[in-house]
Amino acid sequence: MSEQSTALRETVRRRYAAAAVQVAAGGRACCGPCGVEAGEGFGSPLYAVAERAELPAEAVAASLGCGTPTAVADLHEGEHVLDLGSGGGIDVLLSARRVGPAGRVYGLDMTEDMLALALANQRKAGATNVVFLKGTIEAVPLPARTVDVVISNCVINLSTDKRAVFAEAFRVLAPGGRISVSDVVAEDGLTPAQRAERGDHVGCIAGALSRTEYRRGLAAAGFTDIEITSTHRVADRMHAALIRATKPVVPAGEMASETAGEAASDTASDAVCCGVTDCCGPGERATGPDTATAAREAAN
């Protein structure tokens, strides 16, 4: 990772951490990473009143997204879901209700303060089918073909390596799985320099892809049935959008090569972290996202 990319990631991390601390102290993250007041196309007002009413107040207050990916993800009982950049957990908790006790929802975030807030919200909501993971969306600490649906809410635009994000989303999805995310998208013809004129990277603007770039990035990762639907304007010629795509079912003859590549990637992921905030200890292996944690608790 370049020095510039590292600096941008750290700037994003600090901004999210500050928002989490503000909410934990009883405030509201009304001016989150997107740098706009709630009600201007970002934040909890985008969710239905009934949805907000059934969640902990802190999960709602920490909402910083530009859409409601859970509203169009078409989640089903028993499915496994991954939320990239889960923040305070609003989309994780909504998804957990939809997939039910037989399902599971993973929330992935790189910010300690947000993870602490999300775990507190999980306890308040009584959600037992939720696991929060510490990590980045460019290197997801989950085995291949683990989930049925990948969601995200205005986070992919903040990544400095979107190719890696799309590749990781494709890797962790089971064949036939789908991605359903909300993100900021620029109109075609708007150059990177022009996007930067409309807002900075941590403001969810400068790092946004154009519609064509988004479509090509998903297709390059292997996704099909790509749909990009604008929902509302967030800046001149830039829009919040719902992006949906599918991981095709791999023909039997191609499964062996795909499995070999994913197994190598899984080995690298296992060496990094077993899940939640715990890394693998001596003799431990991540056969599941919370294996190490469970083993330690049992040992204690």
Side-chain angles (χ1 to χ4, degrees):
M1 183 182 293
S2 69
E3 290 185 10
Q4 181 182 18
S5 296
T6 301
L8 283 173
R9 177 180 285 181
E10 178 58 20
T11 300
V12 171
R13 188 199 65 76
R14 288 199 304 267
R15 192 71 172 268
Y16 270 97
V21 170
Q22 184 175 345
V23 170
R28 185 177 186 84
C30 62
C31 297
C34 295
V36 296
E37 295 291 339
E40 294 181 17
F42 293 87
S44 60
L46 297 172
Y47 293 85
V49 174
E51 288 182 319
R52 285 179 270 160
E54 66 185 24
L55 297 174
E58 292 82 359
V60 176
S63 175
L64 301 167
C66 59
T68 54
T70 54
V72 295
D74 189 27
L75 301 180
H76 302 289
E77 187 84 17
E79 287 190 317
H80 286 202
V81 180
L82 168 65
D83 183 9
L84 300 175
S86 50
I90 186 169
D91 291 314
V92 170
L93 297 178
L94 287 172
S95 298
R97 289 175 177 267
R98 287 166 172 75
V99 301
R104 175 167 287 196
V105 184
Y106 302 101
L108 175 66
D109 206 282
M110 68 176 182
T111 309
E112 292 279 2
D113 295 289
M114 272 296 183
L115 285 168
L117 179 64
L119 287 166
N121 288 330
Q122 177 190 357
R123 289 190 292 270
K124 291 174 182 176
T128 58
N129 58 343
V130 166
V131 176
F132 285 103
L133 307 168
K134 183 182 179 183
T136 67
I137 62 176
E138 298 86 0
V140 178
L142 283 175
R145 302 184 301 280
T146 301
V147 300
D148 304 294
V149 187
V150 171
I151 64 173
S152 185
N153 198 344
C154 204
V155 172
I156 295 175
N157 64 77
L158 296 171
S159 173
T160 58
D161 190 355
K162 297 175 180 63
R163 180 181 297 180
V165 177
F166 296 147
E168 281 292 86
F170 190 87
R171 180 184 68 83
V172 300
L173 278 169
R178 57 204 186 275
I179 184 170
S180 178
V181 305
S182 295
D183 213 357
V184 174
V185 177
E187 292 181 11
D188 288 335
L190 202 62
T191 67
Q194 290 171 326
R195 297 170 215 175
E197 291 172 357
R198 288 157 170 76
D200 59 13
H201 186 93
V202 76
C204 300
I205 301 298
L209 297 174
S210 71
R211 292 178 64 90
T212 295
E213 289 167 343
Y214 222 116
R215 184 177 294 276
R216 286 176 177 170
L218 288 169
F223 285 102
T224 59
D225 304 321
I226 301 166
E227 300 177 5
I228 301 175
T229 305
S230 297
T231 56
H232 55 274
R233 177 182 177 276
V234 297
D236 179 33
R237 299 181 64 191
M238 303 190 72
H239 309 270
L242 290 169
I243 299 102
R244 288 174 283 193
T246 303
K247 178 175 180 175
V249 177
V250 181
E254 300 176 17
M255 182 61 74
S257 60
E258 181 191 49
T259 300
E262 290 177 338
S265 180
D266 287 347
T267 300
S269 295
D270 289 350
V272 176
C273 195
C274 285
V276 193
T277 59
D278 296 320
C279 291
C280 297
E284 293 178 329
R285 184 176 181 276
T287 55
D290 49 3
T291 299
T293 302
R296 288 174 188 152
E297 288 176 349
N300 292 333

